């Protein structure tokens, strides 16, 4: 009996080079611009609004679930606050793009919490400077949103 050809192509094995630990290794994504959850929410909603105007809307289950997730977990809802957070984070060029996005999404209360959740921050920014940044970000949060 002859062997049959495979019905699907082989899957490329992950390289395993990516890790977000104390030594940030993002592989090919190292210097790729990233978004906070709030920025992603604004961007996706803007695209959806534009598509609705053009009557090209296809709301898949995945899109609906993504929007629901972003509505729940995006810490900032007002565009002005999202832009203000981005301006604050951009001012810290000692931080990687990924770390800035994580800080803007997680909205940690203390420097210790931030360094626990984002271990690569440990030797990049002092606890005092990080706490000041977190306090400024926290001031922009509207907890009734």
């Amino acid at each position: 009996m002859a062997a049959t050809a495979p019905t699907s192509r082989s899957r490329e094995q992950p390289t395993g080079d990516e890790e977000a630990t104390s030594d940030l290794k993002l592989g090919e994504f190292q210097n790729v611009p990233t978004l906070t959850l709030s920025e992603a929410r604004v961007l996706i909603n803007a695209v959806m609004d534009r598509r609705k105007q053009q009557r090209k809307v296809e709301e898949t289950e995945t899109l609906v679930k993504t929007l629901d997730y972003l509505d729940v977990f995006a810490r900032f809802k007002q565009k002005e606050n999202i832009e203000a957070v981005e301006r604050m984070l951009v001012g810290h060029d000692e931080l990687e793009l990924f770390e800035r996005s994580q800080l803007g999404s997680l909205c940690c209360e203390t420097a210790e919490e931030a360094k626990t959740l984002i271990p690569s921050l440990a030797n990049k920014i002092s606890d005092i400077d990080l706490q000041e940044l977190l306090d400024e970000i926290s001031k922009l949060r509207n907890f009734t949103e």
Side-chain angles (χ1 to χ4, degrees):
M1 185 171 225
T4 59
T7 57
S8 65
R9 58 189 163 151
S10 62
R11 175 181 257 173
E12 188 176 318
Q13 293 298 314
T15 61
D17 290 342
E18 295 86 16
E19 3 178 282
T21 59
S22 58
D23 186 21
L24 193 61
K25 297 179 196 171
L26 299 177
E28 65 183 286
F29 302 105
Q30 189 67 36
N31 295 311
V32 174
T34 55
L35 300 173
T36 64
L37 295 177
S38 299
E39 291 169 322
R41 179 180 171 273
V42 167
L43 180 66
I44 292 173
N45 282 326
V47 169
M48 292 304 297
D49 289 345
R50 184 171 197 143
R51 287 183 181 173
K52 284 177 185 174
Q53 290 173 353
Q54 298 171 346
R55 293 184 172 84
K56 296 181 182 179
V57 177
E58 184 181 331
E59 287 193 10
T60 64
E61 180 182 354
T62 302
L63 178 60
V64 170
K65 286 182 177 183
T66 300
L67 288 171
D68 288 345
Y69 177 88
L70 292 173
D71 283 340
V72 171
F73 293 105
R75 301 291 190 203
F76 304 95
K77 309 292 192 230
Q78 297 173 349
K79 189 174 179 182
E80 306 80 37
N81 291 347
I82 296 167
E83 291 169 350
V85 169
E86 176 64 17
R87 282 191 302 274
M88 274 187 247
L89 293 169
V90 165
H92 287 273
D93 47 349
E94 73 273 21
L95 303 178
E96 298 286 338
L97 299 172
F98 173 81
E99 294 163 334
R100 294 179 205 166
S101 294
Q102 292 299 301
L103 287 171
S105 291
L106 296 171
C107 294
C108 301
E109 291 184 23
T110 65
E112 179 184 5
E113 178 185 15
K115 287 185 176 184
T116 299
L117 295 174
I118 312 166
S120 58
L121 294 175
N123 298 319
K124 292 186 178 178
I125 186 170
S126 72
D127 286 354
I128 293 169
D129 290 342
L130 181 55
Q131 189 61 56
E132 287 176 9
L133 175 62
L134 295 174
D135 291 344
E136 289 300 313
I137 290 172
S138 183
K139 288 177 188 175
L140 294 171
R141 284 188 66 191
N142 182 348
F143 291 94
T144 62
E145 292 181 317

